[in-house]
PDB file of all heavy atoms in Angstrom:
ATOM      1  N   HIS A 116      -1.284 106.334 -25.921  1.00 88.00           N
ATOM      2  CA  HIS A 116      -2.717 106.151 -25.713  1.00 88.00           C
ATOM      3  C   HIS A 116      -3.102 104.674 -25.710  1.00 88.00           C
ATOM      4  O   HIS A 116      -3.927 104.243 -24.926  1.00 88.00           O
ATOM      5  CB  HIS A 116      -3.486 106.831 -26.863  1.00 88.00           C
ATOM      6  CG  HIS A 116      -3.351 108.333 -26.854  1.00 88.00           C
ATOM      7  ND1 HIS A 116      -3.943 109.111 -25.909  1.00 88.00           N
ATOM      8  CD2 HIS A 116      -2.668 109.164 -27.651  1.00 88.00           C
ATOM      9  CE1 HIS A 116      -3.647 110.373 -26.122  1.00 88.00           C
ATOM     10  NE2 HIS A 116      -2.871 110.436 -27.188  1.00 88.00           N
ATOM     11  N   PHE A 133     -20.666  98.571 -13.522  1.00 94.00           N
ATOM     12  CA  PHE A 133     -21.308  98.381 -12.219  1.00 94.00           C
ATOM     13  C   PHE A 133     -21.501  99.663 -11.409  1.00 94.00           C
ATOM     14  O   PHE A 133     -22.053  99.616 -10.337  1.00 94.00           O
ATOM     15  CB  PHE A 133     -20.571  97.346 -11.408  1.00 94.00           C
ATOM     16  CG  PHE A 133     -20.638  95.968 -12.025  1.00 94.00           C
ATOM     17  CD1 PHE A 133     -19.562  95.457 -12.748  1.00 94.00           C
ATOM     18  CD2 PHE A 133     -21.800  95.214 -11.942  1.00 94.00           C
ATOM     19  CE1 PHE A 133     -19.642  94.220 -13.316  1.00 94.00           C
ATOM     20  CE2 PHE A 133     -21.883  93.980 -12.538  1.00 94.00           C
ATOM     21  CZ  PHE A 133     -20.800  93.471 -13.232  1.00 94.00           C
ATOM     22  N   THR A 278     -17.246  96.475  11.508  1.00 92.00           N
ATOM     23  CA  THR A 278     -18.370  96.629  10.611  1.00 92.00           C
ATOM     24  C   THR A 278     -19.419  97.546  11.236  1.00 92.00           C
ATOM     25  O   THR A 278     -19.742  97.368  12.412  1.00 92.00           O
ATOM     26  CB  THR A 278     -18.975  95.234  10.373  1.00 92.00           C
ATOM     27  OG1 THR A 278     -17.898  94.322  10.225  1.00 92.00           O
ATOM     28  CG2 THR A 278     -19.874  95.222   9.182  1.00 92.00           C
TER      29      THR A 278
ATOM     30  N   TYR B 213      -7.242 113.145 -20.166  1.00 87.00           N
ATOM     31  CA  TYR B 213      -8.315 112.226 -19.778  1.00 87.00           C
ATOM     32  C   TYR B 213      -7.974 111.415 -18.531  1.00 87.00           C
ATOM     33  O   TYR B 213      -8.874 110.916 -17.863  1.00 87.00           O
ATOM     34  CB  TYR B 213      -8.722 111.319 -20.947  1.00 87.00           C
ATOM     35  CG  TYR B 213      -7.602 110.589 -21.654  1.00 87.00           C
ATOM     36  CD1 TYR B 213      -6.868 109.619 -21.029  1.00 87.00           C
ATOM     37  CD2 TYR B 213      -7.292 110.888 -22.995  1.00 87.00           C
ATOM     38  CE1 TYR B 213      -5.852 108.942 -21.693  1.00 87.00           C
ATOM     39  CE2 TYR B 213      -6.288 110.237 -23.657  1.00 87.00           C
ATOM     40  CZ  TYR B 213      -5.573 109.257 -23.016  1.00 87.00           C
ATOM     41  OH  TYR B 213      -4.582 108.607 -23.682  1.00 87.00           O
ATOM     42  N   ARG B 225     -17.041 107.252  -6.038  1.00 88.00           N
ATOM     43  CA  ARG B 225     -16.735 106.941  -4.639  1.00 88.00           C
ATOM     44  C   ARG B 225     -17.841 107.487  -3.723  1.00 88.00           C
ATOM     45  O   ARG B 225     -18.126 106.911  -2.678  1.00 88.00           O
ATOM     46  CB  ARG B 225     -15.379 107.486  -4.289  1.00 88.00           C
ATOM     47  CG  ARG B 225     -15.087 107.847  -2.840  1.00 88.00           C
ATOM     48  CD  ARG B 225     -14.748 106.617  -2.038  1.00 88.00           C
ATOM     49  NE  ARG B 225     -14.313 106.956  -0.686  1.00 88.00           N
ATOM     50  CZ  ARG B 225     -15.111 107.385   0.278  1.00 88.00           C
ATOM     51  NH1 ARG B 225     -16.374 107.565   0.036  1.00 88.00           N
ATOM     52  NH2 ARG B 225     -14.621 107.631   1.480  1.00 88.00           N
ATOM     53  N   TYR B 236     -29.005  97.521  -9.708  1.00 91.00           N
ATOM     54  CA  TYR B 236     -28.644  96.154 -10.126  1.00 91.00           C
ATOM     55  C   TYR B 236     -29.800  95.191 -10.099  1.00 91.00           C
ATOM     56  O   TYR B 236     -29.901  94.312 -10.927  1.00 91.00           O
ATOM     57  CB  TYR B 236     -27.606  95.539  -9.165  1.00 91.00           C
ATOM     58  CG  TYR B 236     -26.287  96.281  -8.991  1.00 91.00           C
ATOM     59  CD1 TYR B 236     -25.742  96.437  -7.741  1.00 91.00           C
ATOM     60  CD2 TYR B 236     -25.633  96.794 -10.073  1.00 91.00           C
ATOM     61  CE1 TYR B 236     -24.529  97.087  -7.568  1.00 91.00           C
ATOM     62  CE2 TYR B 236     -24.445  97.448  -9.918  1.00 91.00           C
ATOM     63  CZ  TYR B 236     -23.892  97.620  -8.648  1.00 91.00           C
ATOM     64  OH  TYR B 236     -22.718  98.263  -8.488  1.00 91.00           O
ATOM     65  N   ASN B 319     -16.749  94.459   5.476  1.00 93.00           N
ATOM     66  CA  ASN B 319     -17.746  95.257   6.216  1.00 93.00           C
ATOM     67  C   ASN B 319     -18.982  95.567   5.416  1.00 93.00           C
ATOM     68  O   ASN B 319     -19.920  96.170   5.954  1.00 93.00           O
ATOM     69  CB  ASN B 319     -17.096  96.575   6.647  1.00 93.00           C
ATOM     70  CG  ASN B 319     -16.122  96.387   7.767  1.00 93.00           C
ATOM     71  OD1 ASN B 319     -16.128  95.337   8.419  1.00 93.00           O
ATOM     72  ND2 ASN B 319     -15.282  97.372   8.022  1.00 93.00           N
TER      73      ASN B 319
END
Side-chain angles (χ1 to χ4, degrees):
Chain A
H116 293 289
F133 294 101
T278 318
Chain B
Y213 51 67
R225 154 79 173 73
Y236 302 137
N319 286 345

